mmCIF file of all heavy atoms in Angstrom:
data_model
loop_
_atom_site.group_PDB
_atom_site.id
_atom_site.type_symbol
_atom_site.label_atom_id
_atom_site.label_comp_id
_atom_site.label_asym_id
_atom_site.label_seq_id
_atom_site.Cartn_x
_atom_site.Cartn_y
_atom_site.Cartn_z
ATOM 1 N N ALA A 74 -16.438 -23.230 -41.906
ATOM 2 C CA ALA A 74 -15.697 -22.087 -42.433
ATOM 3 C C ALA A 74 -14.394 -22.521 -43.001
ATOM 4 O O ALA A 74 -14.057 -23.719 -42.954
ATOM 5 C CB ALA A 74 -15.463 -21.059 -41.290
ATOM 6 N N CYS A 75 -13.651 -21.590 -43.578
ATOM 7 C CA CYS A 75 -12.277 -21.835 -44.062
ATOM 8 C C CYS A 75 -11.331 -20.782 -43.558
ATOM 9 O O CYS A 75 -11.730 -19.684 -43.234
ATOM 10 C CB CYS A 75 -12.317 -21.727 -45.611
ATOM 11 S SG CYS A 75 -13.493 -22.781 -46.458
ATOM 12 N N GLY A 76 -10.071 -21.168 -43.504
ATOM 13 C CA GLY A 76 -9.012 -20.215 -43.205
ATOM 14 C C GLY A 76 -9.177 -19.493 -41.859
ATOM 15 O O GLY A 76 -9.498 -20.085 -40.845
ATOM 16 N N THR A 77 -9.007 -18.161 -41.932
ATOM 17 C CA THR A 77 -9.121 -17.362 -40.729
ATOM 18 C C THR A 77 -10.539 -17.491 -40.090
ATOM 19 O O THR A 77 -10.663 -17.525 -38.872
ATOM 20 C CB THR A 77 -8.856 -15.870 -41.131
ATOM 21 O OG1 THR A 77 -7.460 -15.776 -41.373
ATOM 22 C CG2 THR A 77 -9.211 -14.919 -39.988
ATOM 23 N N SER A 78 -11.579 -17.587 -40.935
ATOM 24 C CA SER A 78 -12.924 -17.702 -40.415
ATOM 25 C C SER A 78 -13.104 -19.004 -39.621
ATOM 26 O O SER A 78 -13.838 -19.093 -38.671
ATOM 27 C CB SER A 78 -13.933 -17.586 -41.553
ATOM 28 O OG SER A 78 -13.801 -16.382 -42.213
ATOM 29 N N TRP A 79 -12.391 -20.041 -40.084
ATOM 30 C CA TRP A 79 -12.383 -21.347 -39.371
ATOM 31 C C TRP A 79 -11.693 -21.152 -37.950
ATOM 32 O O TRP A 79 -12.174 -21.694 -36.961
ATOM 33 C CB TRP A 79 -11.680 -22.392 -40.204
ATOM 34 C CG TRP A 79 -11.683 -23.748 -39.593
ATOM 35 C CD1 TRP A 79 -12.706 -24.655 -39.548
ATOM 36 C CD2 TRP A 79 -10.600 -24.430 -38.955
ATOM 37 N NE1 TRP A 79 -12.325 -25.803 -38.941
ATOM 38 C CE2 TRP A 79 -11.042 -25.677 -38.568
ATOM 39 C CE3 TRP A 79 -9.254 -24.057 -38.670
ATOM 40 C CZ2 TRP A 79 -10.179 -26.602 -37.872
ATOM 41 C CZ3 TRP A 79 -8.466 -24.930 -38.013
ATOM 42 C CH2 TRP A 79 -8.907 -26.196 -37.605
ATOM 43 N N HIS A 80 -10.657 -20.392 -37.932
ATOM 44 C CA HIS A 80 -9.989 -20.126 -36.614
ATOM 45 C C HIS A 80 -10.979 -19.405 -35.686
ATOM 46 O O HIS A 80 -11.095 -19.704 -34.518
ATOM 47 C CB HIS A 80 -8.720 -19.282 -36.798
ATOM 48 C CG HIS A 80 -7.679 -19.952 -37.553
ATOM 49 N ND1 HIS A 80 -6.721 -19.335 -38.283
ATOM 50 C CD2 HIS A 80 -7.461 -21.266 -37.713
ATOM 51 C CE1 HIS A 80 -5.926 -20.202 -38.855
ATOM 52 N NE2 HIS A 80 -6.324 -21.417 -38.557
ATOM 53 N N ILE A 121 -19.278 -19.102 -41.166
ATOM 54 C CA ILE A 121 -18.546 -17.859 -40.968
ATOM 55 C C ILE A 121 -17.763 -17.554 -42.226
ATOM 56 O O ILE A 121 -17.030 -18.408 -42.699
ATOM 57 C CB ILE A 121 -17.561 -17.955 -39.752
ATOM 58 C CG1 ILE A 121 -18.326 -18.460 -38.505
ATOM 59 C CG2 ILE A 121 -16.965 -16.569 -39.445
ATOM 60 C CD1 ILE A 121 -17.374 -18.677 -37.330
ATOM 61 N N SER A 122 -17.989 -16.397 -42.775
ATOM 62 C CA SER A 122 -17.284 -16.010 -44.003
ATOM 63 C C SER A 122 -17.177 -14.489 -44.152
ATOM 64 O O SER A 122 -18.245 -13.821 -44.185
ATOM 65 C CB SER A 122 -18.003 -16.630 -45.210
ATOM 66 O OG SER A 122 -17.378 -16.200 -46.388
ATOM 67 N N GLN A 123 -15.988 -13.984 -44.246
ATOM 68 C CA GLN A 123 -15.851 -12.541 -44.426
ATOM 69 C C GLN A 123 -16.500 -12.168 -45.755
ATOM 70 O O GLN A 123 -17.361 -11.303 -45.782
ATOM 71 C CB GLN A 123 -14.330 -12.224 -44.469
ATOM 72 C CG GLN A 123 -13.967 -10.702 -44.527
ATOM 73 C CD GLN A 123 -14.225 -10.031 -45.861
ATOM 74 O OE1 GLN A 123 -14.909 -8.988 -45.914
ATOM 75 N NE2 GLN A 123 -13.780 -10.614 -46.960
ATOM 76 N N SER A 124 -16.042 -12.799 -46.814
ATOM 77 C CA SER A 124 -16.542 -12.387 -48.180
ATOM 78 C C SER A 124 -17.953 -12.828 -48.429
ATOM 79 O O SER A 124 -18.704 -12.174 -49.208
ATOM 80 C CB SER A 124 -15.694 -13.046 -49.263
ATOM 81 O OG SER A 124 -15.757 -14.483 -49.141
ATOM 82 N N GLY A 125 -18.398 -13.913 -47.790
ATOM 83 C CA GLY A 125 -19.704 -14.470 -48.113
ATOM 84 C C GLY A 125 -19.742 -15.176 -49.470
ATOM 85 O O GLY A 125 -20.802 -15.499 -49.965
ATOM 86 N N GLU A 126 -18.586 -15.339 -50.070
ATOM 87 C CA GLU A 126 -18.549 -15.926 -51.425
ATOM 88 C C GLU A 126 -17.658 -17.210 -51.506
ATOM 89 O O GLU A 126 -17.490 -17.726 -52.566
ATOM 90 C CB GLU A 126 -17.994 -14.895 -52.417
ATOM 91 C CG GLU A 126 -18.820 -13.597 -52.506
ATOM 92 C CD GLU A 126 -20.225 -13.790 -53.011
ATOM 93 O OE1 GLU A 126 -20.558 -14.835 -53.624
ATOM 94 O OE2 GLU A 126 -21.041 -12.862 -52.787
ATOM 95 N N THR A 127 -17.116 -17.652 -50.416
ATOM 96 C CA THR A 127 -16.213 -18.824 -50.433
ATOM 97 C C THR A 127 -16.952 -20.048 -50.931
ATOM 98 O O THR A 127 -17.967 -20.498 -50.376
ATOM 99 C CB THR A 127 -15.612 -19.023 -49.063
ATOM 100 O OG1 THR A 127 -14.934 -17.833 -48.724
ATOM 101 C CG2 THR A 127 -14.645 -20.190 -49.037
ATOM 102 N N ALA A 128 -16.408 -20.644 -52.039
ATOM 103 C CA ALA A 128 -17.164 -21.706 -52.694
ATOM 104 C C ALA A 128 -17.317 -22.948 -51.813
ATOM 105 O O ALA A 128 -18.454 -23.483 -51.727
ATOM 106 C CB ALA A 128 -16.371 -22.151 -53.936
ATOM 107 N N THR A 130 -17.463 -23.072 -48.495
ATOM 108 C CA THR A 130 -18.464 -22.750 -47.436
ATOM 109 C C THR A 130 -19.875 -22.742 -47.988
ATOM 110 O O THR A 130 -20.798 -23.283 -47.402
ATOM 111 C CB THR A 130 -18.115 -21.451 -46.809
ATOM 112 O OG1 THR A 130 -16.684 -21.476 -46.475
ATOM 113 C CG2 THR A 130 -18.894 -21.179 -45.532
ATOM 114 N N ILE A 147 -22.566 -15.751 -40.589
ATOM 115 C CA ILE A 147 -21.868 -14.561 -39.998
ATOM 116 C C ILE A 147 -20.966 -14.063 -41.132
ATOM 117 O O ILE A 147 -19.871 -14.667 -41.400
ATOM 118 C CB ILE A 147 -21.019 -15.042 -38.773
ATOM 119 C CG1 ILE A 147 -21.956 -15.544 -37.664
ATOM 120 C CG2 ILE A 147 -20.198 -13.842 -38.253
ATOM 121 C CD1 ILE A 147 -21.192 -16.086 -36.440
ATOM 122 N N ILE A 155 -23.539 -16.114 -49.410
ATOM 123 C CA ILE A 155 -23.779 -16.894 -48.180
ATOM 124 C C ILE A 155 -24.836 -16.163 -47.344
ATOM 125 O O ILE A 155 -25.765 -16.790 -46.787
ATOM 126 C CB ILE A 155 -22.489 -17.121 -47.419
ATOM 127 C CG1 ILE A 155 -21.603 -18.118 -48.258
ATOM 128 C CG2 ILE A 155 -22.738 -17.669 -46.003
ATOM 129 C CD1 ILE A 155 -20.189 -18.353 -47.701
ATOM 130 N N GLU A 170 -12.888 -5.037 -46.213
ATOM 131 C CA GLU A 170 -11.536 -5.535 -45.881
ATOM 132 C C GLU A 170 -10.862 -5.781 -47.254
ATOM 133 O O GLU A 170 -11.270 -6.662 -48.008
ATOM 134 C CB GLU A 170 -11.584 -6.819 -45.073
ATOM 135 C CG GLU A 170 -10.256 -7.225 -44.522
ATOM 136 C CD GLU A 170 -10.304 -8.486 -43.683
ATOM 137 O OE1 GLU A 170 -10.632 -9.546 -44.242
ATOM 138 O OE2 GLU A 170 -10.092 -8.447 -42.463
ATOM 139 N N GLY A 172 -7.126 -5.900 -47.736
ATOM 140 C CA GLY A 172 -5.961 -6.733 -47.609
ATOM 141 C C GLY A 172 -6.321 -8.164 -47.688
ATOM 142 O O GLY A 172 -7.370 -8.572 -47.108
ATOM 143 N N VAL A 173 -5.585 -8.986 -48.432
ATOM 144 C CA VAL A 173 -5.961 -10.407 -48.587
ATOM 145 C C VAL A 173 -5.877 -11.131 -47.239
ATOM 146 O O VAL A 173 -6.676 -11.965 -46.937
ATOM 147 C CB VAL A 173 -5.063 -11.051 -49.649
ATOM 148 C CG1 VAL A 173 -5.153 -12.606 -49.566
ATOM 149 C CG2 VAL A 173 -5.456 -10.619 -51.056
ATOM 150 N N ALA A 174 -4.956 -10.733 -46.412
ATOM 151 C CA ALA A 174 -4.806 -11.307 -45.104
ATOM 152 C C ALA A 174 -5.877 -10.709 -44.165
ATOM 153 O O ALA A 174 -5.929 -9.537 -43.945
ATOM 154 C CB ALA A 174 -3.451 -11.057 -44.476
ATOM 155 N N SER A 175 -6.735 -11.590 -43.662
ATOM 156 C CA SER A 175 -7.868 -11.051 -42.875
ATOM 157 C C SER A 175 -7.404 -10.617 -41.483
ATOM 158 O O SER A 175 -6.627 -11.340 -40.837
ATOM 159 C CB SER A 175 -8.875 -12.190 -42.764
ATOM 160 O OG SER A 175 -10.007 -11.728 -42.064
ATOM 161 N N THR A 176 -7.845 -9.412 -41.071
ATOM 162 C CA THR A 176 -7.447 -8.945 -39.708
ATOM 163 C C THR A 176 -8.709 -8.460 -39.011
ATOM 164 O O THR A 176 -9.162 -9.088 -38.116
ATOM 165 C CB THR A 176 -6.409 -7.788 -39.837
ATOM 166 O OG1 THR A 176 -6.894 -6.757 -40.748
ATOM 167 C CG2 THR A 176 -5.104 -8.342 -40.324
ATOM 168 N N ALA A 178 -11.725 -8.354 -39.992
ATOM 169 C CA ALA A 178 -12.903 -9.237 -40.164
ATOM 170 C C ALA A 178 -12.848 -10.349 -39.048
ATOM 171 O O ALA A 178 -13.869 -10.720 -38.476
ATOM 172 C CB ALA A 178 -12.951 -9.875 -41.511
ATOM 173 N N GLN A 182 -15.598 -11.130 -36.252
ATOM 174 C CA GLN A 182 -16.227 -12.443 -36.161
ATOM 175 C C GLN A 182 -16.178 -12.901 -34.717
ATOM 176 O O GLN A 182 -17.198 -13.454 -34.187
ATOM 177 C CB GLN A 182 -15.450 -13.447 -37.030
ATOM 178 C CG GLN A 182 -15.665 -13.213 -38.549
ATOM 179 C CD GLN A 182 -14.628 -14.001 -39.397
ATOM 180 O OE1 GLN A 182 -13.595 -14.465 -38.906
ATOM 181 N NE2 GLN A 182 -14.902 -14.032 -40.674
ATOM 182 N N GLU A 257 -4.058 -18.741 -35.876
ATOM 183 C CA GLU A 257 -4.293 -17.562 -36.702
ATOM 184 C C GLU A 257 -3.023 -16.739 -36.838
ATOM 185 O O GLU A 257 -2.714 -16.234 -37.943
ATOM 186 C CB GLU A 257 -5.458 -16.801 -36.096
ATOM 187 C CG GLU A 257 -5.744 -15.437 -36.747
ATOM 188 C CD GLU A 257 -6.015 -15.498 -38.226
ATOM 189 O OE1 GLU A 257 -6.290 -16.565 -38.775
ATOM 190 O OE2 GLU A 257 -6.054 -14.414 -38.859
ATOM 191 N N LEU A 260 -0.948 -18.452 -39.430
ATOM 192 C CA LEU A 260 -1.495 -18.295 -40.772
ATOM 193 C C LEU A 260 -1.128 -16.902 -41.315
ATOM 194 O O LEU A 260 -0.723 -16.762 -42.502
ATOM 195 C CB LEU A 260 -2.996 -18.540 -40.783
ATOM 196 C CG LEU A 260 -3.682 -18.303 -42.135
ATOM 197 C CD1 LEU A 260 -3.228 -19.370 -43.169
ATOM 198 C CD2 LEU A 260 -5.226 -18.412 -41.999
ATOM 199 N N LYS A 261 -1.268 -15.871 -40.458
ATOM 200 C CA LYS A 261 -0.938 -14.514 -40.961
ATOM 201 C C LYS A 261 0.481 -14.444 -41.424
ATOM 202 O O LYS A 261 0.748 -13.862 -42.504
ATOM 203 C CB LYS A 261 -1.109 -13.457 -39.859
ATOM 204 C CG LYS A 261 -2.504 -13.067 -39.463
ATOM 205 C CD LYS A 261 -3.304 -12.309 -40.523
ATOM 206 C CE LYS A 261 -3.936 -13.267 -41.482
ATOM 207 N NZ LYS A 261 -5.302 -13.742 -41.195
ATOM 208 N N GLU A 264 1.027 -16.406 -44.794
ATOM 209 C CA GLU A 264 0.354 -15.787 -45.959
ATOM 210 C C GLU A 264 1.127 -14.640 -46.535
ATOM 211 O O GLU A 264 1.208 -14.487 -47.733
ATOM 212 C CB GLU A 264 -1.014 -15.272 -45.556
ATOM 213 C CG GLU A 264 -2.082 -16.303 -45.409
ATOM 214 C CD GLU A 264 -3.460 -15.672 -45.308
ATOM 215 O OE1 GLU A 264 -3.728 -14.975 -44.257
ATOM 216 O OE2 GLU A 264 -4.283 -15.859 -46.199
ATOM 217 N N PRO A 374 -0.615 -10.966 -51.436
ATOM 218 C CA PRO A 374 0.418 -12.023 -51.428
ATOM 219 C C PRO A 374 0.311 -12.959 -52.606
ATOM 220 O O PRO A 374 -0.788 -13.092 -53.166
ATOM 221 C CB PRO A 374 0.114 -12.744 -50.118
ATOM 222 C CG PRO A 374 -1.102 -12.124 -49.473
ATOM 223 C CD PRO A 374 -1.542 -11.006 -50.325
ATOM 224 N N LEU A 377 -2.594 -15.973 -53.715
ATOM 225 C CA LEU A 377 -3.811 -15.846 -52.912
ATOM 226 C C LEU A 377 -4.773 -14.859 -53.489
ATOM 227 O O LEU A 377 -4.376 -13.858 -54.078
ATOM 228 C CB LEU A 377 -3.499 -15.408 -51.501
ATOM 229 C CG LEU A 377 -2.688 -16.409 -50.616
ATOM 230 C CD1 LEU A 377 -2.301 -15.764 -49.292
ATOM 231 C CD2 LEU A 377 -3.495 -17.641 -50.373
ATOM 232 N N ALA A 378 -6.035 -15.159 -53.300
ATOM 233 C CA ALA A 378 -7.089 -14.214 -53.718
ATOM 234 C C ALA A 378 -7.907 -13.862 -52.499
ATOM 235 O O ALA A 378 -7.993 -14.629 -51.544
ATOM 236 C CB ALA A 378 -7.984 -14.886 -54.794
ATOM 237 N N LYS A 379 -8.531 -12.686 -52.572
ATOM 238 C CA LYS A 379 -9.362 -12.252 -51.404
ATOM 239 C C LYS A 379 -10.530 -13.195 -51.192
ATOM 240 O O LYS A 379 -10.814 -13.506 -50.053
ATOM 241 C CB LYS A 379 -9.809 -10.816 -51.575
ATOM 242 C CG LYS A 379 -10.541 -10.215 -50.395
ATOM 243 C CD LYS A 379 -9.637 -10.157 -49.130
ATOM 244 C CE LYS A 379 -10.418 -9.715 -47.894
ATOM 245 N NZ LYS A 379 -9.664 -10.099 -46.635
ATOM 246 N N SER A 380 -11.247 -13.496 -52.240
ATOM 247 C CA SER A 380 -12.262 -14.532 -51.976
ATOM 248 C C SER A 380 -12.017 -15.713 -52.870
ATOM 249 O O SER A 380 -11.711 -15.587 -54.040
ATOM 250 C CB SER A 380 -13.701 -14.037 -52.094
ATOM 251 O OG SER A 380 -13.810 -12.985 -52.971
ATOM 252 N N VAL A 381 -12.080 -16.882 -52.240
ATOM 253 C CA VAL A 381 -11.754 -18.109 -52.925
ATOM 254 C C VAL A 381 -13.045 -18.693 -53.457
ATOM 255 O O VAL A 381 -13.725 -19.504 -52.825
ATOM 256 C CB VAL A 381 -11.002 -19.083 -52.012
ATOM 257 C CG1 VAL A 381 -10.541 -20.327 -52.793
ATOM 258 C CG2 VAL A 381 -9.780 -18.378 -51.400
HETATM 259 O O1 M6R B 1 -14.183 -14.856 -47.056
HETATM 260 P P1 M6R B 1 -13.976 -16.040 -46.117
HETATM 261 O O2 M6R B 1 -13.952 -15.621 -44.691
HETATM 262 O O3 M6R B 1 -14.966 -17.141 -46.336
HETATM 263 O O4 M6R B 1 -12.561 -16.570 -46.467
HETATM 264 C C1 M6R B 1 -12.061 -17.723 -45.864
HETATM 265 C C2 M6R B 1 -10.560 -17.841 -46.132
HETATM 266 O O5 M6R B 1 -10.300 -17.991 -47.531
HETATM 267 C C3 M6R B 1 -9.781 -16.680 -45.602
HETATM 268 O O6 M6R B 1 -9.999 -16.469 -44.256
HETATM 269 C C4 M6R B 1 -8.261 -16.810 -45.865
HETATM 270 O O7 M6R B 1 -7.728 -17.879 -45.123
HETATM 271 C C5 M6R B 1 -7.574 -15.465 -45.617
HETATM 272 N N1 M6R B 1 -6.658 -15.196 -46.665
HETATM 273 C C6 M6R B 1 -6.937 -15.421 -44.259
HETATM 274 O O8 M6R B 1 -6.130 -14.299 -44.027
#
Side-chain angles (χ1 to χ4, degrees):
C75 304
T77 290
S78 299
W79 183 77
H80 296 153
I121 308 176
S122 176
Q123 186 288 128
S124 62
E126 302 296 343
T127 301
T130 310
I147 299 176
I155 292 172
E170 190 180 65
V173 165
S175 185
T176 53
Q182 290 164 345
E257 174 58 11
L260 178 64
K261 285 294 82 90
E264 284 192 292
L377 293 174
K379 184 64 186 162
S380 29
V381 184

